[in-house]
Amino acid sequence: MNANRLLSLILTVTLTGPALAAGDDKFDDYFDTQMKAAQKAMSEKRYASVKEKVLELEKALTKVDPAYGEKSQWAYVLDFKRFSLYEMGEQEAAVESCRRTVKVLASNDWPYLAEFNVVRAARRACHNMLAYEQSAVATTLAQHEEAIAQIEQCFETVSPIEDDSVLDNFYETRATVYLKANALSKNKYQPQLFDTLARADLRKLALDEDPEFAKIMKTPAYLSFRKDFKLPKKNTRPGINLSFNSSDAR
């Protein structure tokens, strides 16, 4: 998987905006300084340094905020942790970190507060990674459907105040997940696969650079689907109010 597809939060959310909310100014200053250092290390691909800094921050946050009240701060730390672990080859630890992240950041999500954008971004990145990793090892339809549930949760984790572009990095995983599930289910998931490819095409995401997707996008069945494809007027995001019925819709 292209690493850039996993970098949604790190490349699109910076620490140059409003100060993160926290109960203690000194801790906030410490947190901000450490995260900026971690971000610099991330941009320089010094992942061991990133991991070291965010693990220190994780310990500090555990002491001052064991109930995960400061979700924005936790989101930064856990997402950087996820990515640094993955890049260092600690795949199992990265996946386990994702499971924890989506659990502890899932509650009390205020959709119209911009400060929660970073929280949603972290959750999307984790659901995406969980979907991709599950799909990669799945051997049964049930296991593939677990991957489907994860990627659909990724696409549903969007606020009305966020632009559709926040999902662009995840269409490749969504198409991959449905491609593999469809191959094992005798085309049960062909509509979802075609839907994903068509939406990605409309957003000019170039999934057709992948030979397997390109081959599908040249088939008569897909071309017929694409000819009649129109986005719902009130919603341009997959996973919600799709024009076909699906038992996997979340």
Side-chain angles (χ1 to χ4, degrees):
M1 188 180 194
N2 190 327
N4 289 333
R5 299 289 184 183
L6 295 173
L7 202 52
S8 61
L9 173 59
I10 293 144
L11 292 183
T12 59
V13 181
T14 69
L15 298 175
T16 58
L20 293 171
D24 182 86
D25 290 340
K26 290 183 178 180
F27 180 81
D28 282 2
D29 290 341
Y30 162 75
F31 181 89
D32 189 60
T33 299
Q34 288 292 97
M35 280 306 304
K36 286 180 178 178
Q39 190 174 43
K40 184 176 185 296
M42 182 72 78
S43 67
E44 297 170 353
K45 298 184 179 181
R46 293 186 288 110
Y47 301 121
S49 180
V50 175
K51 178 184 174 182
E52 179 182 1
K53 292 183 183 303
V54 296
L55 288 180
E56 289 177 4
L57 278 172
E58 184 178 20
K59 289 180 180 179
L61 271 174
T62 299
K63 291 180 180 180
V64 301
D65 185 32
Y68 301 96
E70 300 299 337
K71 292 188 180 296
S72 295
Q73 291 184 338
W74 276 107
Y76 278 114
V77 169
L78 293 176
D79 195 71
F80 272 54
K81 178 182 177 182
R82 167 195 66 83
F83 191 80
S84 61
L85 287 171
Y86 193 88
E87 288 300 305
M88 292 178 68
E90 299 180 47
Q91 184 173 326
E92 186 175 338
V95 169
E96 184 57 34
S97 181
C98 283
R99 295 191 188 282
R100 176 191 172 200
T101 298
V102 298
K103 180 179 179 179
V104 302
L105 296 183
S107 60
N108 299 322
D109 186 1
W110 296 89
Y112 291 95
L113 290 182
E115 68 183 86
F116 280 87
N117 285 350
V118 66
V119 179
R120 285 181 282 269
R123 289 164 54 199
R124 284 192 294 269
C126 284
H127 283 301
N128 177 76
M129 182 177 284
L130 290 170
Y132 186 84
E133 295 301 319
Q134 173 68 18
S135 179
V137 300
T139 57
T140 67
L141 182 57
Q143 290 172 332
H144 281 292
E145 289 177 338
E146 289 178 19
I148 288 173
Q150 290 291 345
I151 197 60
E152 290 303 335
Q153 189 62 49
C154 170
F155 275 80
E156 290 180 13
T157 306
V158 184
S159 162
I161 66 173
E162 293 180 290
D163 187 79
D164 286 350
S165 63
V166 300
L167 295 172
D168 285 353
N169 285 333
F170 308 121
Y171 278 87
E172 181 182 23
T173 297
R174 190 174 191 265
T176 298
V177 166
Y178 278 120
L179 176 65
K180 292 184 175 182
N182 192 55
L184 200 64
S185 64
K186 298 181 179 179
N187 287 340
K188 175 182 178 181
Y189 291 107
Q190 180 172 284
Q192 290 92 329
L193 173 60
F194 284 3
D195 177 271
T196 303
L197 294 174
R199 290 171 187 267
D201 188 37
L202 286 173
R203 295 198 60 77
K204 304 185 185 303
L205 301 182
L207 291 195
D208 57 353
E209 291 181 358
D210 181 294
E212 199 162 14
F213 294 148
K215 183 178 179 181
I216 294 170
M217 294 171 78
K218 293 177 182 178
T219 62
Y222 175 78
L223 291 173
S224 177
F225 178 94
R226 182 69 177 85
K227 179 181 179 181
D228 298 327
F229 182 79
K230 293 181 180 179
L231 291 174
K233 291 182 179 180
K234 293 184 179 181
N235 171 41
T236 62
R237 299 163 182 159
I240 308 172
N241 298 326
L242 296 177
S243 58
F244 45 82
N245 292 325
S246 171
S247 61
D248 67 282
R250 306 289 173 179

